[in-house]
Amino acid sequence: MPASRPATPSRQYDLIAFDWDGTLFDSTAIITRCIQLAVVDVGGRMPTDKAAAYVIGLGLMQALAHAAPDVPPEKYPELGMRYKYHYSAHQNDISLFEGVLPLMANLKARNYLLAVATGKSRRGLNEALRTVELQGLFDGSRTADETAGKPDPLMLHELMQEFGVPPERVLMVGDTTHDLQMALNAGCHSVAVSYGAHEPQTFTALGPRFVACSVAELHAWFATNA
């Protein structure tokens, strides 16, 4: 077990975990479209934009199965391959939301532990981190294919154990109810962003400390509340 990082009296949190797609990475529209195309490719009925966006943040196969209830399980491997095909054709069109790099640099300078907790695969996250030159910025990460998918709290539990940080000193930041429910299940606070996959009115029941309408608002909230 690593030694716990001493709590800093002037702040509430020591470890900040971020979702990736729709929170830091402006990928919601492309992921939604790729899910729709993949479902049609295997003979399913195209899910609506809302239905396809809802599953963003879940593990890939869990998400695709939920978005395509009329596709039989024996076609799930093909469904996954078609999604990856469509996503790979567009992944270089996706970038960080404006303001993310200054936000991360500021939090790093203030000595927060920074982590990613994502429904992406390990390979997918590593490729994204290389693409946007963020390797080395995050202290840790967990992906859906190496632990339990959201909203199971195992991702956060593993990060807390890795860094010796108790739940009350951990903040989860995400754009979906899956992220906020995971935080609740782990005993952590959360902050939501409304510019990603889920509608902000769905967040209320899950009790986020704040709902940011932009990265700039998120940055300002961290400056005075974290």
Side-chain angles (χ1 to χ4, degrees):
M1 276 287 292
S4 299
R5 175 176 288 198
T8 301
S10 61
R11 69 185 189 201
Q12 187 170 354
Y13 304 107
D14 296 310
L15 171 61
I16 303 173
F18 290 89
D19 171 60
W20 188 258
D21 290 304
T23 301
L24 300 180
F25 214 44
D26 189 4
S27 50
T28 299
I30 286 178
I31 291 175
T32 297
R33 185 59 178 158
C34 291
I35 290 172
Q36 293 171 322
L37 292 173
V39 172
V40 172
D41 284 351
V42 300
R45 179 180 299 176
M46 180 182 287
T48 64
D49 289 353
K50 183 176 181 180
Y54 174 78
V55 302
I56 295 174
L58 301 175
L60 176 59
M61 294 315 303
Q62 180 188 4
L64 293 174
H66 191 282
D70 59 332
V71 173
E74 59 267 24
K75 286 195 172 184
Y76 287 176
E78 182 185 359
L79 182 60
M81 291 299 295
R82 295 308 298 168
Y83 170 80
K84 292 175 182 177
Y85 167 80
H86 290 296
Y87 185 82
S88 66
H90 295 285
Q91 62 183 353
N92 292 331
D93 302 331
I94 309 172
S95 62
L96 291 168
F97 285 106
E98 184 178 354
V100 165
L101 285 175
L103 170 62
M104 295 294 114
N106 178 266
L107 294 176
K108 195 74 172 177
R110 294 166 62 189
N111 294 317
Y112 288 99
L113 289 164
L114 302 179
V116 175
T118 178
K120 295 180 80 66
S121 67
R122 170 54 58 189
R123 178 179 177 181
L125 178 62
N126 286 348
E127 288 178 353
L129 289 172
R130 281 194 296 270
T131 300
V132 296
E133 298 179 348
L134 284 174
Q135 282 193 327
L137 179 61
F138 293 101
D139 299 285
S141 61
R142 289 296 186 279
T143 60
D145 61 339
E146 62 189 10
T147 184
K150 302 170 185 178
D152 191 293
L154 187 58
M155 282 189 196
L156 292 178
H157 284 165
E158 290 182 353
L159 288 167
M160 287 187 273
Q161 183 176 21
E162 179 177 348
F163 296 108
V165 180
E168 65 271 17
R169 303 290 300 182
V170 178
L171 182 69
M172 177 68 204
V173 183
D175 69 310
T176 70
T177 55
H178 314 308
D179 299 311
L180 306 190
Q181 186 64 60
M182 178 175 68
L184 271 181
N185 293 345
C188 305
H189 285 155
S190 66
V191 164
V193 300
S194 65
Y195 50 79
H198 286 190
E199 296 295 329
Q201 60 266 28
T202 64
F203 299 148
T204 304
L206 298 171
R209 293 202 59 208
F210 182 64
V211 178
C213 297
S214 65
V215 175
E217 280 195 7
L218 185 63
H219 198 156
W221 186 87
F222 276 124
T224 57
N225 294 278

